Amino acid sequence: TEAGLGPASAATSVASNPAEPAEVAPYYQAALAAAGFDPVATSGPMEDGSYEVDASGPAGCAARVTVARLGTDTVITILYGAACPFA
């Protein structure tokens, strides 16, 4: 699914049944930690029901994962900072 929610390093969607943003955000927090990032904060629910996971990595690399509902899908948007070697 093309989310079209603005700039992103990566974006994907999953069927929302039962993938609620509150259930998906901890997965990405753990995945970032396993990849060597230090999860700084998980925020949410935001006004629209979304959650954000912010993390910092080596050499000043930063990442933000936003998990939000869009109709019947849950959209995951990942932003990597310019300092990330793979961004």
Side-chain angles (χ1 to χ4, degrees):
T1 300
E2 180 73 33
L5 297 176
S9 301
T12 189
S13 66
V14 295
S16 291
N17 189 11
E20 292 293 330
E23 298 168 341
V24 176
Y27 167 82
Y28 282 95
Q29 183 177 15
L32 285 167
F37 284 80
D38 180 24
V40 175
T42 298
S43 306
M46 303 299 190
E47 215 171 72
D48 62 356
S50 65
Y51 282 74
E52 291 181 348
V53 178
D54 291 308
S56 60
C61 179
R64 171 175 283 165
V65 177
T66 303
V67 183
R69 291 291 297 265
L70 182 62
T72 59
D73 291 335
T74 298
V75 177
I76 297 100
T77 305
I78 302 170
L79 296 169
Y80 290 109
C84 296
F86 46 84

